[in-house]
Amino acid sequence: MFANATRSARVWSDSWRARHLSVKDTALAAALMLLATVPTMSAIGPQLGDLPERPPDALAVALAVAQSAPLVVRSRWPAACLAITGAAFALHQALSCPPTFAGVGLYLSLYAAGAYQARFRRGLVAASTAGYALLVVVLHGLGSPNGFPEFLAFYLTLAVIWMAGAGMRRWRADEAERRRLSAQVAAADERARIARELHDVVTHHVTAMVVQADAAQFLVGSAPERAGAGLAAISDTGRRALTELRYLLGVLEATGDPAVAGRAPALGRIGDLVEQARLAGQPVELAERGDRRPQPVDVELAAYRVVQEALTNAIKYAKGRPTAVTVQHHDDHLVIEVITDGPADAAPVVPSGGRGLDGLRERVRMLDGELAAGPRPGGGFGVRALIPYRD
């Protein structure tokens, strides 16, 4: 799905860019032909042969058009554009037609060839150089007063224009590579974020359901009423998991629906996590200090995930041990502590992937916060997170 969307976006972008360049080239060609009709602009046009001028005629007009009209395709077919404008410029100089501003088309087509020509670039340079050398020989034979220094200076000017186009081509290639690498990094970050969300959602709820199901098995024969309560707790946990998964899928769809953000697990729903842990047989006490202030979704979600992951680990590694959850609201930051009594190296009730705390540290770090987790000196295990407030 992601690959198809990326390809579609790339095709649309290329199509839009081609249309944009076509419009620009058409406007440029039209402007050049219009300026070529202005008498005062003729002195700006390039002159190479300096031969005696012939009177203006239809041939001179046709050559002026041939030096400007091909710019319509200078981005799509740069080599053909350069060949036509170059040949028209050579004939214009050899036939000593009156000066015209349309001769600037040679510069523009040469720049376009350096910027847009993808194949046979060296061959195009060699052919252009050979054509220029032939023009110099013809002009010298026709009695041009210019000598080798003038012809060389004009050639170096053309070479600089070509190199300017080539430099633009390299810059565009580097920019495209930079965008590609940035897209790869963004995609990797997004995959890591999705993996963290799935881990937090699935691991917590599935762990609680496994513990509740194990307990219900032992209570079916001895205490059916308590077994029924355990099954009800499993059903409630499953519904909670589906709710969070729907929220996550809504985020992935990126529909822009504000209702999606409203379904994000928030700091005010920590009590639901505590109640769910109690239903799984974990004695949990919740204490909240200070005045709660609304925060952005990412801060609220990070705080929720800290408590969720800490309670999940408590159920895994210290089932039945007292656990204390403390939420402290300060003026500029939030502190969350989850302390569980019991050994920190106990075998987990369900298998662990070992990535929950690492993902949690990364989540908190991205908010400029800190997270510490490890055994406590007096026994047990503690998780402490400090998350700065954001405007």
Side-chain angles (χ1 to χ4, degrees), residues 11 27 44 66 123 149 154 161 173 175 275 300 341 378:
V11 170
I44 305 178
F154 191 83
I161 295 174
E175 184 68 13
E275 184 61 28
E300 296 260 344
D341 294 339

Side-chain angles (χ1 to χ4, degrees), residues 210-303:
V210 169
V211 172
Q212 292 163 353
D214 290 343
Q217 290 180 358
F218 292 103
L219 296 174
V220 168
S222 58
E225 66 284 352
R226 293 180 59 190
L231 294 176
I234 294 175
S235 176
D236 181 67
T237 302
R239 282 192 292 269
R240 292 174 187 268
L242 289 176
T243 300
E244 291 201 35
L245 286 174
R246 289 193 189 101
Y247 156 73
L248 182 57
L249 290 176
V251 173
L252 293 178
E253 288 175 355
T255 58
D257 185 0
V260 173
R263 294 195 299 267
L267 188 59
R269 294 178 54 189
I270 287 180
D272 295 341
L273 293 174
V274 171
E275 184 61 28
Q276 186 179 5
R278 289 170 181 168
L279 292 175
Q282 193 75 11
V284 182
E285 295 296 330
L286 173 62
E288 193 165 359
R289 300 166 186 165
D291 297 329
R292 182 189 306 169
R293 293 188 297 176
Q295 291 296 315
V297 174
D298 51 356
V299 174
E300 296 260 344
L301 183 58

